């Protein structure tokens, strides 16, 4: 619940009525780009797509390629698909544009983008700062803007934006992430 200028607002879940897709969004042999793929959510979803759909996957993250990521890539490649890692910062538009060029050059142009990147720091709302809240928000808002600018001219099947169910469960330490 939030009060703004005397108005009370409550979060609600509403059932969406969507039309059935005419063709599947996920398909064998396609390539999917995971923004924030160095994290647990991105990696697990990449494994699922590689194993279930024989999809090629590109994982990205701010951290340099290390032995742990090499092991993850090897695991994914065991499904008989291409797997790559690129160190990029989603907050840097020129890096995202360079990533697009690199993927095209490597015959890994994405058919879909899965945005799982986040900036998370466990902090109670009362102890948080405006700077921390802005960093958390930027991972999704500015990050999505950079994705649109870098890949917007491409004929993508979809862009999936992962968010947080914490908004509905009320974990107080995640307040800046879900704000």
């Amino acid at each position: 619940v939030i009060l703004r200028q005397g108005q009370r607002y409550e979060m609600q879940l509403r059932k969406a009525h969507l039309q059935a897709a005419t063709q599947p969004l996920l398909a064998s042999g396609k390539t999917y780009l995971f923004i924030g793929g160095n994290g647990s959510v991105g990696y697990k979803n990449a494994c699922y797509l590689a194993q279930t759909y024989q999809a090629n996957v590109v994982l990205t993250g701010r951290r340099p390629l290390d032995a742990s990521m090499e092991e993850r890539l090897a695991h994914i490649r065991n499904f008989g698909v291409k797997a790559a890692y690129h160190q990029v910062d989603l907050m840097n538009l020129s890096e995202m544009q360079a990533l697009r060029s690199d993927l095209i050059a490597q015959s890994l142009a994405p058919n879909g983008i899965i945005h799982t990147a986040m900036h998370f720091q466990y902090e109670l709302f009362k102890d948080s700062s405006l700077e921390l809240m802005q960093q958390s928000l930027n991972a999704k808002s500015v990050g999505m803007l950079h994705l649109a600018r870098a890949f917007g001219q491409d004929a993508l099947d979809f862009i999936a934006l992962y968010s947080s169910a914490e908004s509905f469960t009320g974990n107080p330490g995640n307040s800046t992430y879900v704000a």
Side-chain angles (χ1 to χ4, degrees):
V1 176
I2 189 169
L3 296 174
R4 287 196 178 139
Q5 300 175 349
Q7 183 71 34
R8 177 186 168 106
Y9 298 91
E10 290 186 33
M11 190 173 357
Q12 298 176 14
L13 289 176
R14 294 187 181 152
K15 185 175 183 176
H17 301 281
L18 305 174
Q19 293 179 341
T22 56
Q23 51 188 318
L25 291 177
L26 303 171
S28 178
K30 291 195 174 187
T31 299
Y32 300 105
L33 171 61
F34 284 83
I35 304 299
N38 207 353
S40 176
V41 173
Y43 171 67
K44 288 178 181 178
N45 280 269
C47 288
Y48 174 79
L49 292 181
Q51 183 176 19
T52 306
Y53 293 96
Q54 296 305 136
N56 302 311
V57 296
V58 177
L59 308 177
T60 68
R62 293 178 300 215
R63 291 180 268 181
L65 180 65
D66 59 13
S68 173
M69 179 51 70
E70 288 283 7
E71 288 178 23
R72 287 179 167 197
L73 293 172
H75 175 75
I76 293 170
R77 288 180 188 125
N78 284 334
F79 298 119
V81 301
K82 294 179 186 177
Y85 178 78
H86 289 261
Q87 179 185 2
V88 294
D89 184 352
L90 180 60
M91 296 295 101
N92 185 317
L93 177 57
S94 62
E95 286 187 24
M96 297 310 297
Q97 291 167 328
L99 171 65
R100 179 184 176 272
S101 296
D102 290 347
L103 295 179
I104 291 169
Q106 297 168 12
S107 298
L108 287 171
N111 299 101
I113 298 175
I114 298 99
H115 180 345
T116 64
M118 65 179 207
H119 182 277
F120 176 77
Q121 182 173 335
Y122 190 86
E123 188 88 25
L124 293 176
F125 189 79
K126 70 178 183 66
D127 299 328
S128 187
S129 66
L130 184 58
E131 179 183 359
L132 181 59
M133 286 184 219
Q134 192 66 50
Q135 289 172 344
S136 297
L137 182 61
N138 283 350
K140 298 298 181 191
S141 60
V142 174
M144 194 60 217
L145 179 63
H146 288 175
L147 283 172
R149 287 183 175 159
F151 293 91
Q153 71 271 25
D154 298 344
L156 299 171
D157 295 338
F158 67 90
I159 295 179
L161 182 66
Y162 276 49
S163 189
S164 177
E166 295 295 337
S167 299
F168 300 100
T169 61
N171 184 341
N174 292 355
S175 58
T176 57
Y177 176 62
V178 300

